[in-house]
Every structure is written in C-alpha cells, then in structure tokens.
Amino acid sequence: MIATEKISIQKVSKSRLPEIDFSNIPFGKIYTDHMFLADYKEGEWQNFRIVPYGYMPISPATPALHYGQSIFEGMKAIKSKDGSAYVFRALDNWKRMNISAERMCMPYIPEELFMESLSALIELDRSWIPTAEGSSLYIRPFMYSADEYIGIRPSENFTFQIILCPVGSYYSTPVKVKIEKHYTRAVAGGTGFAKAGGNYGGAIYPAKMAQDKGYHQLVWTDGVEHKYIEESGTMNVMFVMDNTLITPALSDSILAGITRDSVLSLARHWGMKVEERRISVDELIAGLEKGIVTEAFGAGTAATIAHIELIGHEGKDYHLPPIEKREFSNRVYKELDAIKSGSQPDPFGWITKI
Ligand SMILES: *Cc1c(COP(=O)(O)O)cnc(C)c1O
C-alpha cells in the first residue's frame, strides 16, 4: 500500500491555467501543470513524485527509444455539476496496463500505485478539468524501460508516469473509414492486444495513405487472410445489422477496449441481441448493399462513440444512414455520457469519485 503522503509533491510556482483558452482546446496539445513519476529499480517501485509538467532528461541509450519498450493507457475524468471529478473504469485500465506490461516484459503495477497516484495528480490539477459539453480531462498513464543499455534483453529499470490533458470532443463530425486489406496492424501471436507503443508507430503509414484519399481512419482486417474485420485505429468497431449489435470477438490481435465492453454491457442490459464473432468483409459489404447495416461506429475512450458515415472498400464508398436515425448508437452515447458525469445512476460500478 502506498499512502498518498508518500508521494512527494513539488508544485509549480505559477499555474499556466489562466493562459489556456478553454473554448478552443486541440486534442493532446495542452498539458496540465503537474505530472506523476515513479521509478522501478532493484525489483521495486519507488521514488513516487509529482513534479511540474515538463521535459525530462533521459539516457540516449534508453531501450524505450530504440526498441519500443513502452506501453500506455488512456482514460478520462469528467467534472460533475457538484464539482467532483469522476474517473471512468480506472480499475479496468489498471488491469489492462498489467496485461500489456506482462507481454512487454515489464513489471507489475500494484493497484495502489496506479489508483493513488492517479487520485493525487487529478486532485492537484482538478481545476484543469474542462466543463463544456463533450469535454473532459484525458489521462495518459505510461511505462517505459529506463535502462541505460543498448542490448536487447528484459530491462531492469522502468519509469511509470501519468500526464493529463484537457480535451474537447474528439470527433465532432462522423468519420469516413477505409477497410485495409494490404497492411497489417497486428497478427496472431503478436502484440495487438497490448497497448504497446510500436503497434501505433507502425500504423501511421497505412493510415496516412488512407487519409491522403480523404478517409479519417482505417478498419483493419486480420493479418493472415485480410478477410475478417478487426478494429479501427484506436477504436473497436461495431455494427447494427438486422437489429443485432455485432462486433468482432476479441483475440490476441484486437485490443480489448473498455468502451467496447461498456457498450456491450449496456446493449445486453437493454435486452438487445448482441453477437461477438468473426465478421467477414464480404458479409459486411453484402449487408451494406442490402441496406441492413443501419449503424456503424467506433468505440474508444477518446471519442466514446464515433459514428461511421461511410465505409470505403476496394475503391467504392458505401454510405450509411443519417446519424439522427441511429437509435442505438445515439442512445448508448447519451447513456455513457450521463453515467460518466454522474448525472445518471451507475448500475455497473464504473465510476470512481475523486
Ligand atoms: C485504446 C484502444 C482501443 C479502445 O480502448 P478503450 O479502452 O475503449 O479506450 C481500441 N483499439 C485500440 C487499438 C486501442 O489502442
């Protein structure tokens, strides 16, 4: 158990908060006054500290830079009407971070370290949580190898860190996606189920190719046959087909999204028919052609629900019904928003009050 008083706190002398224009916050470019750090050395976590946000000295031989020995998480806090901060499903992010850590040969992060550092940091930078509709505080915990050693081996030293950034709504407009059948994000036996840095670095090039053609994001297909739908950039994908909510079943090449799980839980709670299974590209395209795919969306922390406006496949664009007509995804978005902000009961125990 790490008691909060064991976290040393060095506060900024002057907050940057008054300089921030909260009516116009770009995603991921503005960080709060403070950050949390902990070192893993000689087999244990130590040196818990909150310091002013800023550049850090790092060895040029850090394996995180050379070999991608780094993992991360992403979650959100919202300020409720009564002024308290609510974090959504933080324990699930903690669990997933340890799944990623194991795959990347990194040390286990105890629950107390994760939760108490998170609380202490949010408590300190609480006034940075934006209050405008759709905005929130994005929380980025991450861990990387901090050895000074350029050989490839399991590392001995690590840093666990948390930074915070206020964000507006991520995708204000519906997204255009392209089904990717050439490049691969993750394959069976790889690291796709882990939030490991290299997975994302390798995805930028194919995503850029699609962006040059006017799409926002890719929908990846399986790395072996490119026949089955996997997921999108940092979102799981879901479809309402024939009044059934369908999403690819989890595998080691798909990231187990917490938003995905939340959407499935709500759908089941509402008595909707839900299928987690393989969906072939052919099945999806046939469904689009027949007009039985009434909704398609990405589910992830950044956007919560990103409505998909059109799906590109082999040079052809398939348009989906207008957003206003999408009963399920609109309802689930509203419900999740209400649970997150504490304005709706939380039957699943998803909220932690800070
Ligand atoms: C983070 C992430 C998701 C979404 O996970 P959430 O827990 O819902 O934010 C989906 N796919 C990938 C590849 C991701 O990195």
Side-chain angles (χ1 to χ4, degrees):
M1 181 81 179
I2 65 154
T4 312
E5 56 265 33
K6 271 182 39 199
I7 300 176
S8 78
I9 297 180
Q10 185 200 335
K11 289 190 190 167
V12 292
S13 48
K14 187 167 171 278
S15 173
R16 284 178 283 107
L17 194 55
E19 299 158 25
I20 311 297
D21 173 10
F22 273 88
S23 65
N24 180 24
I25 24 179
F27 182 84
K29 290 199 173 161
I30 292 167
Y31 294 90
T32 66
D33 284 328
H34 301 93
M35 61 185 180
F36 173 85
L37 295 105
D39 301 323
Y40 186 86
K41 277 184 196 159
E42 278 133 27
E44 57 182 72
W45 286 107
Q46 47 191 282
N47 201 8
F48 309 130
R49 60 205 188 274
I50 288 176
V51 298
Y53 173 89
Y55 289 7
M56 318 168 297
I58 193 167
S59 158
T62 302
L65 299 177
H66 299 268
Y67 311 123
Q69 277 199 56
S70 69
I71 59 171
F72 65 96
E73 270 303 325
M75 53 190 164
K76 275 180 172 175
I78 282 183
K79 197 181 266 175
S80 75
K81 292 210 171 66
D82 68 7
S84 21
Y86 291 100
V87 184
F88 187 68
R89 303 193 68 172
L91 277 174
D92 294 287
N93 289 89
W94 161 69
K95 284 184 196 146
R96 188 172 66 192
M97 189 150 194
N98 280 318
I99 292 171
S100 301
E102 185 182 10
R103 178 64 179 81
M104 296 302 287
C105 235
M106 291 181 164
Y108 181 81
I109 299 171
E111 180 182 334
E112 294 76 19
L113 169 57
F114 191 87
M115 294 305 287
E116 290 180 21
S117 56
L118 185 69
S119 302
L121 184 63
I122 293 179
E123 183 62 51
L124 192 61
D125 282 345
R126 167 196 291 275
S127 46
W128 284 81
I129 308 176
T131 48
E133 169 103 47
S135 64
S136 57
L137 188 72
Y138 184 79
I139 304 162
R140 171 54 62 91
F142 56 111
M143 189 203 327
Y144 51 92
S145 161
D147 276 8
E148 186 163 30
Y149 180 64
I150 211 168
I152 301 181
R153 60 153 197 211
S155 295
E156 288 162 1
N157 302 284
F158 298 86
T159 303
F160 169 61
Q161 205 165 336
I162 307 176
I163 54 176
L164 307 172
C165 58
V167 294
S169 44
Y170 191 58
Y171 288 118
S172 33
T173 50
V175 293
K176 301 181 168 114
V177 300
K178 177 187 162 253
I179 296 176
E180 179 58 59
K181 285 174 118 179
H182 176 71
Y183 295 101
T184 300
R185 185 191 92 91
V187 281
T191 57
F193 67 97
K195 258 178 136 68
N199 292 346
Y200 304 84
I204 295 170
Y205 178 78
K208 171 149 195 320
M209 307 303 272
Q211 281 154 11
D212 288 347
K213 291 189 177 145
Y215 299 98
H216 298 101
Q217 292 243 4
L218 295 176
V219 172
W220 299 102
T221 51
D222 71 279
V224 180
E225 298 176 276
H226 293 294
K227 258 175 132 170
Y228 298 96
I229 302 286
E230 297 237 299
E231 61 170 317
S232 196
T234 53
M235 299 188 293
N236 297 103
V237 284
M238 302 195 166
F239 308 95
V240 177
M241 218 188 288
D242 257 343
N243 297 314
T244 303
L245 179 65
I246 308 175
T247 194
L250 293 177
S251 72
D252 60 359
S253 55
I254 294 182
L255 199 284
I258 292 162
T259 315
R260 174 188 183 278
D261 183 73
S262 308
V263 172
L264 295 178
S265 303
L266 281 175
R268 289 187 173 117
H269 183 69
W270 292 335
M272 181 157 184
K273 202 169 158 220
V274 173
E275 289 175 5
E276 293 177 67
R277 60 166 172 88
R278 295 229 277 188
I279 309 162
S280 70
V281 177
D282 289 350
E283 178 190 356
L284 177 67
I285 297 299
L288 287 163
E289 277 171 345
K290 275 192 261 169
I292 56 166
V293 183
T294 47
E295 307 187 26
F297 57 95
T301 294
T304 309
I305 300 294
H307 298 289
I308 295 173
E309 168 185 348
L310 75 80
I311 300 176
H313 177 244
E314 293 179 345
K316 202 170 156 198
D317 286 341
Y318 299 83
H319 290 261
L320 280 111
I323 310 303
E324 330 64 90
K325 293 208 172 138
R326 306 193 188 181
E327 216 172 291
F328 176 74
S329 41
N330 285 319
R331 180 178 179 199
V332 89
Y333 178 83
K334 268 202 202 112
E335 185 76 11
L336 281 173
D337 210 45
I339 295 175
K340 282 182 187 176
S341 64
S343 68
Q344 185 84 358
D346 170 25
F348 304 97
W350 285 339
I351 298 302
T352 312
K353 190 171 173 173
I354 287 178

